[in-house]
Every structure is written in structure tokens, then in C-alpha cells.
Amino acid sequence: MSKLIVFCEHQNQNLKRSSIELLQFGKSKNFEVVGVVLGAEGQKAAEQATANGASEVLFFNDVKLNGYNPELYLAALEAGIKQSGARHVLAPASSAGKDVFPRLAARLDSSIASDCVALTVEGDTLIAKKPLYAGKAFAQVNLKDSPVQIVLMRANQLPVATAGSANPGAVKIVALPAVDLKAILKEVVKGASEKLDLTEANVIVSGGRGLKEAGNFKMLEDMANVLGATVGASRAVVDSGWVSHSMQVGQTGKTVAPTLYIAVGISGAIQHLAGMTGSKVIVAINNDPNAPIFQKATYGIVGDLFEIVPKLTEEFKKLLHK
Amino acid sequence: MKIFVGIKQVPDTETKIKLLPNAAGVDLTGVKFVVNPYDEFAIEEAVKIKEKNPGTQVFAITLGPKQRVSEVLRTALAMGCDEGVVVNSNSELDNLGVAKALAAAIKTEGGCDLLLLGKLAIDDNGSSVGPMIAELLGAPHISVVSKLELTGTTAKVERDIEGGAKEIFEVPLPCVLTANKGLNMPRYASLPGIMKAKKKVLKEYEAETLAAGVCKSKATAFTLPDDKTAVKMIAGDAGAQAQELARMLRDEAKVL
Ligand SMILES: Cc1cc2nc3c(=O)[nH]c(=O)nc-3n(C[C@H](O)[C@H](O)[C@H](O)COP(=O)(O)OP(=O)(O)OC[C@H]3O[C@@H](n4cnc5c(N)ncnc54)[C@H](O)[C@@H]3O)c2cc1C
């Protein structure tokens, strides 16, 4: 059995869903899955990794890894790969993943397939499906010739089954190698929202210029709270200063792939579609029956969002017993 | 100070994408190309630094079929870059191949104090080449930067991460930074700038000679997205529409 390393990201001590997807995928393909957990707050996540398919977890239990630092993360991940002898690596296409793994690839004289949406294994080769031109085409990236095969996957692309039981004995504490640090992390400034990031959210409620003014985003927040969703936005409302740029979906914002994307008062300009057509189910609510968003939607409602959104929130409450 | 700006030419978002016969790749004939939008932030930042620090030289560098991709260097020169470097390549290189060729060209040009690129290219959403070049040059990097303050040889940068949070780093030059939206407002090229840029002689390299046979991955089996099934429109008054939609999301789409 080949070894496969999974980068196990955690937040508030819990293993993130994006990493659970990768652990379970590796196990389902009969890899010997090795989890790598970084930071002194990772004990619980390390145990969760063993419950989700990792037969071994390398736990770099070091406070220096509590915040992100590209050079320290690189050193730990490189040590993890060397120590395990793994030639296959999976990681979420997260902020940290997209920052550190390309550099690690170059260090290992390897290529990387990033921002992938599907994954298959042929013999010993990882083959990753990757959207091109904002989802207008796809390619299969074959990593056969890469000394280490590294794939970064978008969140919510792979199924997750119920976890098994944890095996704390499989968690090995590993020391962080010494690094002559150049970049120093000075501070982390928290974002306004404690919700899941758009790139990880399973449900997104997104608003556009049809909302008329900043205060009306409250309606979307109410709906999002019922659904456990994250609120997104079109560029038009970001540029108007109603919401922050971190909420923008699209070509110059975030690429998202939730299970459910609800577009409220968004026309569906090509630059917006570029960021969200990977969503599984798309709902469009717009008073213009000719709005381009309807061409990409699964379900459409032509109507006044100010009437529909509060009613829909009530319906969701009823169905979800909230 | 010497700054390099890495620029990629990408298809305009509005262009329609077709495949080559046998799905061997994407048919680029007739496609309109533009400067990758994130690279515009990198160009603008370099030119702003030059304006504040007289004596700074800004080199714009790109890779691809030289006739076509030289266009982006003309744009960069018109925006205020001083020199243009084109690494000619007519074959599809993967991220490692591109990073190696660009790193080799930058080294041959004597290296730099600062390399700026966009956080990702909108054609393949790669976000890999910047950190890879940093590794190959042995310089630290910070990606997805939305604020940069240079004091002497130290850069203080803000990096955008999940949930609207920011990480603030201090990093010594030489270093590699990739630009996010928010870093600045890219300027339009001036008419005299455009005229001057047209006459500028570009420096040329061949990817084949700089980094031959270095690719380790291959993109194959190109496909177009599945045709979306037609939208289901939900009729009725607002109350009925809301009720029906919620029901369909639960019972039919099974996403609630
Ligand atoms: C280089 C470039 C990059 C870009 N990047 C992005 C990007 O990343 N993300 C992005 O979103 N855009 C981006 N854009 C902008 C994009 O082209 C559109 O301008 C933008 O998406 C429009 O936002 P909108 O749909 O909110 O506004 P509009 O296009 O104004 O649409 C508002 C919609 O609300 C509907 N509406 C109005 N009132 C009601 C009501 N009472 N009830 C129901 N519906 C109502 C209208 O029918 C309309 O369809 C980019 C543009 C360029 C040139």
C-alpha cells in the first residue's frame, strides 16, 4: 500500500471538513493514510484524523505553528513527507494550502495540481480534474512523472461518511525542525464574521444590487442563520461599499463550490458566474425574467426579493424545525 | 532597487472556449487575450514603488509564444515599467516548468530585490508559480497581499485569508509577493506611455534553453461542462413560490 499524506487543517480545535474529505478519500482508495497536524491546538484534530482514515498522524505539537508561517509550515510538511516516505500528498485548496504547497512542490522538484474538483487514482498515479477558464472547460492533470504527487482540492467536492472511532495511540508527536526564519507573522486581524469562509461553506446566500441598500443584507443574514450558511455578494455591492471584499464571489473575488447557492438580486454577469457555477444547486431570485442568472440556475423564482426572501426564510425555519 | 513583475496573458473572461479536435487542448484561435487582472495590481504596485524611490528599475517579465504574449509587456511598459523580458515558449509548460524558466531568466538578469506577481491567473486558477519561483530563488514569499509598506529593506504586508481575516507579516527583501485585489487601483496607460512602449526593444529568452524538459505533470482529456438541465421556474404568488422552493430543495434536490 502506498502512503498518502493528508494535510489536516483545524479550526477551534476541530478537524475541518475539507481535510476529512481527503482522509476518507485516501482510505477509500486503499492508501495508507498519514495525517499531518500542525500547532499546539491540534491534539483533538489529530485524534479525529485517526477516526477518519489516518492509520498514523504526525502531530507537530508546537506553539510556533499556531499561527500560519510559510517557512515553518514548509519545514514541518517537508519533514513529514521525508519521515513517512510518502509520494502522494493531498491538501485543501485553502489560504495556507495554496501558499505553502506550491513552494513545497518546487523544493521537491515536483509539480502540483491546484484548485481541483475531482480526483481519481490509476495504479500509483493521482489524476485530478481541474476547472479552466472559470469552469468553461476542464482538464485532467496527470501527476505520474512527479517525484511527489501533490493535489490541492477545493472543499465540498468529495463525500464524507460518519467517522469511525478514534485511535489516540496512532498520534505521534514530532518535533519541528529548526528554521532560520525570514518572514515573521506579527499579528492576525480577525475578520468580521465567525462563519465558515465562502470557499468552505456548504450553503451560500449571496446578494446583489437588487438589495438596494447595505442595511437590507440583514435579510440575507437572517436566512443564512437559519440555513447555517455564509453570506456572499456580487462585486456591484462590494464596490458600493455595502459589504467587504472578502464577501465577493466571482472572477475578482472568491471561487465557491457549495452544495446550495442562493443568488438574490444578482443579474448573473459572466464575471460573477465565473466564481459560482461549480455550485451543485443554484437558486436565483430576481424580478427580471431575462436575467442571465436564470440560465445557470437549477431553480428560479421571478419576483420581488423583498417579498420572497422573508417568506422563504420562514419556510426554511419550518422545514428545519427552527 | 530592482523590481521584477511577473505577468501572464490570459483569455478575456467574456471569450467563448472551444476544444481542439480529440479534446487535446483548448482551441485558442480567435480568443481575445488580456493581462491577468491580478497582475495589474502587481504592475501598479511596482510603478508606485518606483515613483516613491527614484533610481528604482522595474522589469516586466512574461512567458508564452512571444508574438502573442509580448502584448502584455507593452501594456506593462505603457503603465510605467522600464524593461520588458519575454521568455518564448510554444509548448504547454506546467507550473514547475514555468517557475523554473522564469526563475532562470530572472537570475540571468542579475536577480532582483522584489518580485511581484498576481495571486493567481484567472485561466487555470493556479496560484502556484509565485511561491514556486520564490523557492527556486531562495527568497521568502507572502501571497495574497492587499497592503504593502516598504521601509528600507523590510516589507510589512497584509495577507488576506479565510473569513475576511488578515495576517500581518514582516519580511526582508529580497522577497516575492503576490497581489490581491485591494492592494491598489491600477492606472490606465497614458497615450505617451503607449507610444513609448511600442518602440521599446524587448529582451528575449527561450524557455527551452533556460529550463528544458522540467515539467512533471500533464494536462489531458479536456472537456466542456455538462449542459445544465434547464432551470425549473417556480410560479405562483410569493408565499406559494417560497413554500414550493423550500419543499423542492428538501425533497427533490435534497440539499436542506
Ligand atoms: C474585470 C471585471 C471583473 C469583475 N469581477 C466580478 C466579480 O468577481 N464578481 C462579481 O459579482 N462581478 C464582477 N464584475 C462585475 C460584473 O460585471 C457585474 O457588474 C456585477 O456582477 C453586477 O452585480 P449585480 O448582479 O449585483 O448587479 P446588477 O447587474 O445591477 O443586477 C442587479 C439585479 O437585481 C435584480 N433586482 C433589482 N431589484 C430587484 C428586486 N426588488 N427583486 C428581485 N430582483 C431585483 C435586477 O433585475 C438585476 O438582475 C467584474 C467586472 C469586470 C469588468
Side-chain angles (χ1 to χ4, degrees):
Chain A
M1 261 191 306
S2 299
K3 282 196 180 177
L4 171 102
I5 289 226
V6 172
F7 177 42
C8 295
E9 286 195 288
H10 50 94
Q11 190 172 25
N12 306 325
Q13 314 215 350
N14 282 305
L15 190 56
K16 286 197 178 186
R17 182 193 147 110
S18 47
S19 292
I20 295 176
E21 290 178 37
L22 304 178
L23 289 162
Q24 293 195 2
F25 173 85
K27 172 90 176 153
S28 75
K29 298 290 175 192
N30 298 317
F31 280 101
E32 185 181 335
V33 179
V34 180
V36 174
V37 176
L38 308 186
E41 290 160 346
Q43 178 68 39
K44 189 172 157 201
E47 290 176 20
Q48 288 167 345
T50 65
N52 282 287
S55 53
E56 185 185 10
V57 174
L58 305 178
F59 176 29
F60 291 80
N61 181 355
D62 193 319
V63 287
K64 292 203 282 295
L65 295 165
N66 284 15
Y68 178 68
N69 181 297
E71 294 157 43
L72 295 175
Y73 270 47
L74 183 71
L77 289 162
E78 188 187 11
I81 290 175
K82 293 249 157 83
Q83 185 170 333
S84 66
R87 286 193 53 245
H88 301 86
V89 180
L90 297 181
S94 60
S95 288
K98 287 192 283 194
D99 189 73
V100 70
F101 283 93
R103 186 163 192 142
L104 180 64
R107 183 164 290 186
L108 301 169
D109 199 32
S110 294
S111 285
I112 185 165
S114 82
D115 203 37
C116 298
V117 295
L119 192 56
T120 49
V121 184
E122 269 176 30
D124 215 22
T125 301
L126 295 178
I127 299 172
K129 184 177 179 185
K130 179 175 173 48
L132 300 171
Y133 314 109
K136 284 194 268 185
F138 295 89
Q140 302 282 350
V141 182
N142 185 313
L143 289 158
K144 183 165 137 294
D145 297 333
S146 194
V148 179
Q149 303 180 18
I150 307 177
V151 176
L152 303 184
M153 286 287 293
R154 279 192 199 163
N156 301 318
Q157 306 300 311
L158 300 167
V160 163
T162 320
S165 51
N167 174 13
V171 178
K172 267 196 209 158
I173 297 197
V174 187
L176 176 67
V179 180
D180 180 16
L181 266 193
K182 287 180 183 148
I184 311 284
L185 177 63
K186 289 292 193 186
E187 192 187 343
V188 179
V189 183
K190 276 203 172 156
S193 159
E194 290 290 297
K195 294 236 176 75
L196 268 185
D197 190 67
L198 285 169
T199 54
E200 297 169 340
N202 200 30
V203 181
I204 293 173
V205 181
S206 211
R209 188 144 44 195
L211 275 127
K212 304 278 191 294
E213 55 183 274
N216 294 331
F217 262 75
K218 173 81 175 51
M219 283 192 334
L220 302 192
E221 279 157 28
D222 291 344
M223 180 184 285
N225 286 338
V226 174
L227 294 172
T230 301
V231 177
S234 72
R235 170 163 161 183
V237 306
V238 171
D239 286 356
S240 307
W242 299 359
V243 299
S244 85
H245 176 245
S246 64
M247 289 168 67
Q248 183 179 322
V249 172
Q251 183 194 299
T252 44
K254 289 186 172 151
T255 304
V256 302
T259 308
L260 174 59
Y261 187 92
I262 304 182
V264 180
I266 293 178
S267 59
I270 189 139
Q271 295 89 354
H272 187 80
L273 300 178
M276 46 66 78
T277 43
S279 310
K280 197 167 149 232
V281 172
I282 296 170
V283 170
I285 301 171
N286 200 304
N287 61 5
D288 172 7
N290 296 317
I293 188 79
F294 287 120
Q295 289 164 24
K296 297 289 171 189
T298 329
Y299 299 104
I301 289 183
V302 176
D304 181 5
L305 69 90
F306 294 98
E307 270 187 70
I308 292 165
V309 169
K311 292 204 162 71
L312 191 54
T313 303
E314 285 311 309
E315 293 297 330
F316 287 148
K317 268 191 202 161
K318 273 192 240 162
L319 289 187
L320 299 167
H321 307 293
K322 286 195 179 164
Chain B
M1 180 156 52
K2 190 164 152 200
I3 305 177
F4 263 86
V5 188
I7 307 168
K8 186 172 186 185
Q9 193 186 45
V10 297
D12 186 82
T13 330
E14 311 262 356
T15 43
K16 213 170 142 32
I17 297 294
K18 297 179 303 264
L19 296 186
L20 291 169
N22 306 328
V26 173
D27 184 357
L28 295 175
T29 45
V31 164
K32 182 183 167 222
F33 286 95
V34 296
V35 174
N36 178 42
Y38 291 104
D39 301 349
E40 291 181 353
F41 303 122
I43 300 170
E44 175 65 27
E45 200 62 18
V47 173
K48 270 172 61 187
I49 294 170
K50 179 180 120 174
E51 288 168 348
K52 270 200 221 141
N53 301 274
T56 298
Q57 259 207 318
V58 182
F59 288 65
I61 186 166
T62 192
L63 180 145
K66 94 181 157 198
Q67 296 297 344
R68 194 187 85 202
V69 300
S70 293
E71 278 300 304
V72 298
L73 296 181
R74 302 281 169 209
T75 307
L77 290 166
M79 285 171 74
C81 295
D82 302 299
E83 303 289 337
V85 180
V86 58
V87 180
N88 182 46
S89 166
N90 291 305
S91 55
E92 276 299 319
L93 300 181
D94 71 354
N95 38 46
L96 187 68
V98 170
K100 281 194 174 175
L102 289 176
I106 292 169
K107 277 187 194 159
T108 313
E109 287 290 325
C112 59
D113 302 298
L114 178 63
L115 167 62
L116 290 160
L117 308 95
K119 75 162 176 185
L120 57 79
I122 61 162
D123 53 355
D124 64 1
N125 257 26
S127 63
S128 303
V129 167
M132 280 181 150
I133 298 181
E135 174 65 20
L136 298 167
L137 294 177
H141 81 272
I142 306 289
S143 64
V144 200
V145 169
S146 59
K147 194 170 172 200
L148 166 60
E149 274 170 36
L150 274 181
T151 321
T153 55
T154 304
K156 189 173 175 196
V157 303
E158 281 185 21
R159 161 176 149 79
D160 294 336
I161 57 165
E162 279 93 359
K166 287 174 187 293
E167 292 167 345
I168 300 174
F169 283 95
E170 255 175 35
V171 56
L173 302 187
C175 68
V176 177
L177 305 175
T178 74
N180 195 14
K181 186 180 170 182
L183 182 60
N184 52 47
M185 281 292 281
R187 68 193 65 195
Y188 291 102
S190 67
L191 200 56
I194 294 170
M195 298 315 287
K196 226 171 101 191
K198 273 193 185 149
K199 291 192 211 115
K200 188 90 199 174
V201 179
L202 304 176
K203 295 197 176 181
E204 294 184 13
Y205 290 91
E206 290 293 327
E208 285 271 315
T209 16
L210 289 173
V214 296
C215 294
K216 309 280 182 189
S217 66
K218 217 176 140 100
T220 57
F222 289 79
T223 49
L224 296 176
D226 302 335
D227 284 335
K228 272 248 176 212
T229 39
V231 53
K232 282 193 183 159
M233 299 304 290
I234 297 166
D237 64 23
Q241 285 174 317
Q243 195 177 15
E244 179 64 0
L245 174 64
R247 192 195 62 76
M248 287 175 119
L249 289 176
R250 186 189 60 180
D251 298 342
E252 188 180 85
K254 300 193 166 47
V255 292
L256 283 191

